[in-house]
């Protein structure tokens, strides 16, 4: 997310154009009476929870590449913030009577696949990855927030809370490109690879998890629409392209 | 530390027999008027801060070896707790007008040396290392707490706060030894190696950092006494040996 996007505004922006369903007007207890909706939310919380735990691990790993102790501390701080997001999502799963591990496990392979294919080879690649990953996650949360019952929406928007990736990463990457413009070309390729891999893993999840995918594209009642999933991915990709351009990376 | 040792008790126990100096009765503002005392505390806070940051990194790394998602989350939680300790120590350095990085840097080599020599090869070795490291650190904090001014002492005792290593590690290691007694012999050797490496790196620090070492062995006024350093290491080693025996590992 960009540093000017405050969580408070997030609920207003998304999905007006994508056809939010009536579920947004319900609380969890009412909405969850529909077993398909309930299954979709459990999937969503499981996917987000494991995503945060995986982000914790990768940021902690990237902290090792930090050129200075301050940079290391900064990445450790982000990792710790992701861990606290994980805790909230896990606790919510437990609260609604779901076994958190069971809810997370369907998504382990996709995240591990993504991270395995995109291990940064240096500090700057790690920063670009943290920024791109955080931004895509944030876009996705916003897309989905409008389709959620009020209780789940509050949690998702709280977890969307800026972990500080954006401004820190943007500042460091810009400085590196200024110092050596050639770096920009390499990082632009890297950002494209990150996006490609993220899309490929997401599509795998969409194909595997019917209830989740159906909810993502306009609510359970409307049924599953593959074209709408495609449009959501397009919107996220466009936002990514704009961010990369702003960062000085032609995407 | 064992799970029954609560931070509240820690201030009573230590160092009665090792000759605490009058500094314990002073607050920071008064005690820091002595430049040698001030230098020793800056060293101490720097060493503890980098130790916490390094512990964060290693626990996050060990989380990858976790056999289950619950275990992974448990280690991530410990890592996050260490990060918050790091933040408190770093903020305190800034508060007393010291540049945190400058205070930490003299201790980077010793910690990196320790962790490089003791990379766990599996989950159980990682747990034993977390337990042994946490226990030694806790013993050391107690030894030193009685020699500190009241403000620094409060901080050190707060950071001593149990991160949950002990009970989690003890339970998992005991279960593994019960399931396969041979594991005990391997882990006993491992624990001995950890202690040897910790002592070797500590002695390096003691030799390098005069003000810190002098404070550790009885206060600046008494001067530096190598025999007393030896006795402190002996007490810590004895406590380690007892803990390992309790864990079912002959040390």
């Amino acid at each position: 997310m960009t540093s000017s996007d405050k969580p408070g505004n997030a609920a207003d922006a998304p999905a007006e154009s994508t056809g939010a369903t009536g579920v947004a007007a319900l609380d969890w207890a009412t909405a969850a009476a529909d077993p398909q909706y309930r299954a979709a939310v459990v999937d969503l919380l499981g996917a987000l929870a494991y995503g945060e735990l995986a982000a914790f691990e990768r940021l902690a790993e990237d902290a090792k590449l930090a050129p200075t102790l301050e940079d290391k501390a900064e990445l450790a701080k982000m990792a710790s913030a992701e861990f606290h997001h994980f805790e909230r999502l896990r606790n919510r799963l437990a609260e609604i009577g779901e076994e958190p591990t069971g809810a997370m496990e369907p998504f382990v392979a996709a995240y591990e696949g993504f991270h395995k294919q995109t291990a940064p080879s240096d500090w700057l690649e790690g920063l670009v990855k943290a920024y791109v990953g955080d931004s895509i996650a944030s876009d996705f949360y916003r897309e989905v927030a409008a389709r959620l019952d009020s209780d789940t929406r509050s949690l998702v928007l709280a977890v969307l809370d800026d972990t500080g990736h954006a401004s820190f990463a943007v500042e460091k990457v810009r400085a590196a490109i200024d110092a050596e413009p050639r770096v920009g070309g390499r990082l632009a390729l890297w950002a494209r690879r990150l996006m490609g891999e993220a899309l490929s893993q997401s599509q795998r999840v969409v194909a595997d998890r019917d209830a989740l995918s159906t909810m993502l594209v306009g609510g359970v009642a409307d049924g599953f629409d593959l074209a709408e999933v495609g449009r959501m991915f397009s919107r996220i990709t466009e936002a990514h392209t704009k961010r990369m351009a702003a960062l000085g990376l032609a995407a």
Side-chain angles (χ1 to χ4, degrees), chain A residues 1 9 41 56 68 75-76 83 98 105 123-124 139 172 241:
Chain A
M1 63 199 289
N9 304 330
V41 169
F56 162 84
T68 69
L75 249 69
F83 176 74
E98 292 291 328
E105 248 148 21
W123 169 242
L124 287 173
D139 286 346
K172 297 279 171 180
T241 307

Side-chain angles (χ1 to χ4, degrees), chain A residues 1-220:
Chain A
M1 63 199 289
T2 65
S3 47
S4 64
D5 291 332
K6 287 290 164 262
N9 304 330
D12 312 323
E16 220 67 308
S17 60
T18 61
T21 68
V23 85
L26 307 177
D27 66 5
W28 166 252
T30 316
D34 174 348
Q36 208 182 344
Y37 178 76
R38 186 189 166 88
V41 169
V42 170
D43 259 15
L44 179 70
L45 296 178
L48 297 184
Y50 192 73
E52 298 285 1
L53 190 57
F56 162 84
E57 274 195 292
R58 301 307 148 165
L59 288 167
E61 176 89 16
D62 292 353
K64 284 193 234 159
L65 301 168
T68 69
L69 274 178
E70 281 100 342
D71 290 336
K72 193 192 277 294
E74 196 61 41
L75 249 69
K77 184 180 168 183
M78 294 176 194
S80 188
E82 305 286 12
F83 176 74
H84 295 304
H85 292 167
F86 160 75
E87 276 188 319
R88 293 188 69 165
L89 293 158
R90 181 193 56 187
N91 294 348
R92 178 64 181 160
L93 280 163
E95 217 174 273
I96 63 172
E98 292 291 328
E99 209 284 287
T101 301
M104 290 190 278
E105 248 148 21
F107 306 99
V108 170
Y111 283 112
E112 295 308 301
F114 174 71
H115 287 300
K116 207 169 168 178
Q117 295 297 323
T118 60
S121 68
D122 65 14
W123 169 242
L124 287 173
E125 288 189 4
L127 281 185
V128 170
K129 181 173 168 179
Y131 177 54
V132 167
D134 201 48
S135 305
I136 298 175
S138 166
D139 286 346
F140 172 77
Y141 286 15
R142 281 155 200 270
E143 288 273 348
V144 85
R147 307 176 191 282
L148 294 170
D149 66 274
S150 55
D151 296 315
T152 309
R153 185 167 60 244
S154 303
L155 174 63
V156 166
L157 293 176
V159 168
L160 172 69
D161 188 13
D162 195 345
T163 51
H165 290 176
S167 51
F168 178 75
V170 165
E171 180 197 318
K172 297 279 171 180
V173 171
R174 279 214 180 111
I177 296 174
D178 283 351
E180 197 186 337
R182 265 195 319 181
V183 165
R186 173 166 71 83
L187 293 179
L189 281 174
W190 171 245
R192 209 178 306 164
R193 199 170 125 213
L194 289 169
M195 192 66 201
E197 193 61 37
L199 287 174
S200 136
Q201 295 295 345
S202 308
Q203 275 153 355
R204 186 166 150 191
V205 170
V206 164
D208 277 0
R209 310 297 298 180
D210 270 3
L212 177 61
S213 307
T214 303
M215 183 183 69
L216 289 184
V217 296
V220 174

Side-chain angles (χ1 to χ4, degrees), chain A residues 206 213-219 222-231:
Chain A
V206 164
S213 307
T214 303
M215 183 183 69
L216 289 184
V217 296
D222 304 340
F224 184 81
D225 176 354
L226 202 58
E228 182 52 34
V229 176
R231 284 191 288 275

